[in-house]
Amino acid sequence: MSDQHGDSHQHGGRHQHGERGDELLAERFEAYRGHLRSVAYRMLGSAAEAEDAVQETWFRLSRSDTREVANLGGWLTTVVGRVCLDLLRSRRSRGEEPLDAWRPGPSAEPDPAQDAVLADSVGAALLVVLDTLSPAERLAFVLHDLFRVPFEEVGGILGRTPAGARQLASRARRRVRGADAPEADRARQQAVVDAFLAAARGGDFEGLLAVLDPDVVARSEAGVTSGAVAVASGATTFARLAGVARPALVDGATGLVVLADGRPERVLTFAFAADRITVIEVVGDPARLAELDIETA
C-alpha cells in the first residue's frame, strides 16, 4: 500500500481491464465499499459527501493498473484518504474557511436515512469529538488509530514524514481524550472513571448508565459496541479489568492501565462530554501500547 500503488498508475489514463476484468474489479470494489464509506464518513461527517468520495475512489481504481497491488483493501483505504484530504484542501483554495478551522457540516443534499445508519455504526459521540480536530489531525487519527494504516502511508498522504504523522495522531489522541482540559476537569473525569469502575465491579447496571453517554462507543481489538445499554450490558469485561486497573495518564489524558511484571499489558482510554463517558478504548496490542505515553498515578 505504498505511493507507487497510488497516483503513479493513473497518469496513463484508464487501464484496459477488459469487460470481464471490469466486472471482477467492480465485484472486488463492492466488497470494500462499506469499509470505504465508513472511512470517508469519519473524515467528512456527511453520508452524501462520503458516498461522493467513495465514487471518486472507484473512478481512480478503474483508471489504474492494480495488477501489482497485493493489498487492494489497503490501497483503497489510502486512496479514499487522499480523496477526503483533497476535498478539504479544495475548500481552503476556494477561500471558504481556513483548513485548520474547517468542521464537517451537513451535505447540500442530505440523506437522513443513510446518515442515521452511518451515525449509528460510527457512534454520534465519536463524530462529536472528531470534529474538534484539524483535518490533518483527523486524517492521521482516523486512518491510523481507527483503521491501522501505517504511519508511513499516513505521512505519504499528508506530505509529511512518518514521525510527523505520528505526532499528528498523538496530538489528536490527546485532544480527543481531553488532555488539554484543566486540572479541575481532569479531577472530574477521574471521578467519572472511578464511578464507572465501581459500578462495573458491583454489577450496578443503573450506575453504569448514569456515567455513560447514551451514544457511548466502546472499542477493543475484539470489536466495537455502541450505545449505553449495550456497553453496560457487556460490562463484565470491565469488571475483570476494574479489579487490577490503576489510574494513569495516557498521552496526557485520563485513563487506566493494567500492568504485568511492571509493563503495560492493557490500557483503557476515555473521552468525555458533560461529565459522561463518550468513548472507551481498550488497547492490548503490544505495538499500539508502545506508541502510548503512559504515566501511572
Side-chain angles (χ1 to χ4, degrees), residues 203-214:
D204 181 1
F205 188 79
E206 293 300 323
L208 287 167
L209 292 181
V211 296
L212 295 174
D213 185 90

Side-chain angles (χ1 to χ4, degrees), residues 9 45 94 101 126 153 158 178 203 226 264 285 289:
H9 285 303
R94 291 197 301 268
L126 180 58
E153 302 297 336
L158 292 169
S226 300
D285 177 65
L289 286 172

Side-chain angles (χ1 to χ4, degrees), residues 260-272:
D261 297 326
R263 296 182 179 180
E265 180 182 65
R266 192 155 301 186
V267 163
L268 279 73
T269 60
F270 302 86
F272 305 87

Side-chain angles (χ1 to χ4, degrees), residues 112-158:
Q114 191 176 22
D115 276 330
V117 170
L118 280 169
D120 182 63
S121 66
V122 171
L126 180 58
L127 287 178
V128 169
V129 293
L130 287 179
D131 282 351
T132 67
L133 307 179
S134 72
E137 290 170 339
R138 185 164 180 156
L139 185 138
F141 181 82
V142 166
L143 290 189
H144 180 266
D145 283 46
L146 302 187
F147 294 99
R148 310 293 185 262
V149 176
F151 282 123
E152 289 79 7
E153 302 297 336
V154 175
I157 296 171
L158 292 169

Side-chain angles (χ1 to χ4, degrees), residues 7 50 68 80 86 98 106 108 147 149 175 181 186 193 242 245 269 293-294:
D7 295 337
E68 301 301 319
V80 80
D86 287 346
F147 294 99
V149 176
R175 295 182 65 181
R186 290 188 191 174
V193 171
T269 60
D293 180 13
I294 303 169

